[in-house]
Amino acid sequence: MAAEESRSLLGRPAPGPGTRVRNKKLYVAAFAAVLGPLSFGFVLGYSSPVIPELRKIGDPELRLDSDQASWFGSIVTLGAAAGGILGGYLVDKVGRKLTLMLCSVPYVFGFTVIISARNVWMLYLGRMLTGLASGVTSLVVPVYISEISHPKVRGMLGSCVQLMVVTGILGAYTAGITLPWRWLAVLCSFPSCIMLLFMSFMPETPRFLLSRSRRSEAVAALRFLRGPHADHEWECEQIEAGVQEEGLNVSEFKNPSIYRPLLIGVALMFFQQLTGINAVMFYAETIFEDANFKDSRLASVVVGSIQVCFTAVAALIIDKTGRKVLLYVSGTIMALSTALFGLYFKMVLPNPNNSSNPDVWATLNSASPGTESSISWLAVVSLGCFVAGFAIGWGPIPWLVTSEIFPLKARGISSGACVLTNWAMAFLVTKEFNDLIGFLTSYGTFWLFSAFCCLNIAFTAFYVPETKGQTLEQIEAYFRRS
């Protein structure tokens, strides 16, 4: 795909009675849906304050060694990868709304297992179940929001998915300062219960209803989402024009209108994880401890706050700047900050021979005494810039774009492939983070992440389409024509 193809897809946005649209109930529906990503954020953030506590716990049946701590942090991504497969099936079979409501079951059951855990294997099972729910959530919520939104606010509402994820992470960090690990799990189970209650009053997406020939329900859903004065029939006709009722055959993946957006979506998820974000966030407290900061939990809260603030900024400006500009800015900031973070560890690690030790805690704690105190600001600034850079672009935008570019009949299976890719890569990065540090040293690992961030920029320039201001039907038509 040539670079010029990735400019704005069509010359003008769709006409329509946009001035008569009322967004109030649309925002309510979006809020109900993003309580799922809030739960997902609590799952991701849970490991950071809990791992140091479980490494020192008195009960030998629950005490984690370095390898078990690595599994506790990363096994959630295996569950999420399985959730991507399950979600891709459910979202097309039972609908977007019901799939999201069903997510609350493994969320609550998983945290219940953790609360009642008597050994490490129960901790693993609880993390796997909450990961399964997170995988389904990460697929269905972007699809639900993109299908109920109109182009003027789709970017903002789509970015709120990532905003609520990082808010959940921050909530887990903050609550983890005062709550013991079992009570923290109790707190983490609440958002999914509230989501189940709220979503029971929200409509199914009009596009799913029309794909099932339920036109009267689709019109009713549009009336709820757009207000009584919008032209519901006009929008319904626009959606119907793009709805293809026939099922998806394997042979159709030879069609560029299906495989090109799929390849772009999978690549976006692949590159998102190769920035190293999940390795950094899963082990945020440990990284600060290894960088010799006394109050590592407070430092993690600061990092989480930065992520929330800059994700909110991205949500506010994305429908004005477009998707690609923010991806460029984000990739550049991350490339520079990971390079600087690697420089910090290069300066504080006295001898590269310690790289033979694969234990991240031992490797980074071998820093030269006194060296870190004089340049500790470099670690703080680098990590803060990395998190801010990720939050403003490569955090929310891959999820947003993958919810926009797939044709309706392939949306479930294509989204499932993207979620599977994202979480499989997240598992590899987080699980092998220790081994990478052992093999490349800590500074070599962060320099490798920096190189991947540079590749992200090049991929954005040549392959990612600009979807700002376009309806989902226009985006689908663009890939059919090209």
Side-chain angles (χ1 to χ4, degrees), residues 17-38:
T19 55
R20 292 181 286 168
V21 168
R22 294 183 180 177
N23 293 324
K24 183 178 179 180
K25 289 186 178 179
L26 170 61
Y27 294 157
V28 172
F31 173 77
V34 296
L35 289 173
L38 181 65

Side-chain angles (χ1 to χ4, degrees), residues 209-223:
L209 293 171
L210 287 171
S211 71
R212 296 296 184 269
S213 301
R214 294 153 62 181
R215 196 177 197 280
S216 61
E217 293 177 61
V219 172
L222 286 171
R223 185 174 292 109

Side-chain angles (χ1 to χ4, degrees), residues 430-450:
T430 53
K431 186 67 183 71
E432 299 306 318
F433 188 51
N434 287 4
D435 294 334
L436 273 175
I437 286 178
F439 181 69
L440 296 175
T441 73
S442 54
Y443 52 85
T445 300
F446 280 100
W447 286 341
L448 178 63
F449 289 150
S450 180

Side-chain angles (χ1 to χ4, degrees), residues 94-95 97 148 202-225 232-233 236 239-240:
V94 303
K97 174 184 172 178
I148 65 172
M202 298 300 118
E204 179 57 89
T205 73
R207 286 171 175 83
F208 177 79
L209 293 171
L210 287 171
S211 71
R212 296 296 184 269
S213 301
R214 294 153 62 181
R215 196 177 197 280
S216 61
E217 293 177 61
V219 172
L222 286 171
R223 185 174 292 109
F224 177 92
L225 295 166
H232 313 109
E233 287 294 332
C236 211
I239 296 172
E240 282 180 313

Side-chain angles (χ1 to χ4, degrees), residues 163-186:
L163 177 61
M164 294 301 277
V165 171
V166 297
T167 300
I169 292 172
L170 176 60
Y173 286 172
T174 305
I177 294 176
T178 56
L179 291 178
W181 63 277
R182 291 188 196 272
W183 282 106
L184 182 58
V186 173

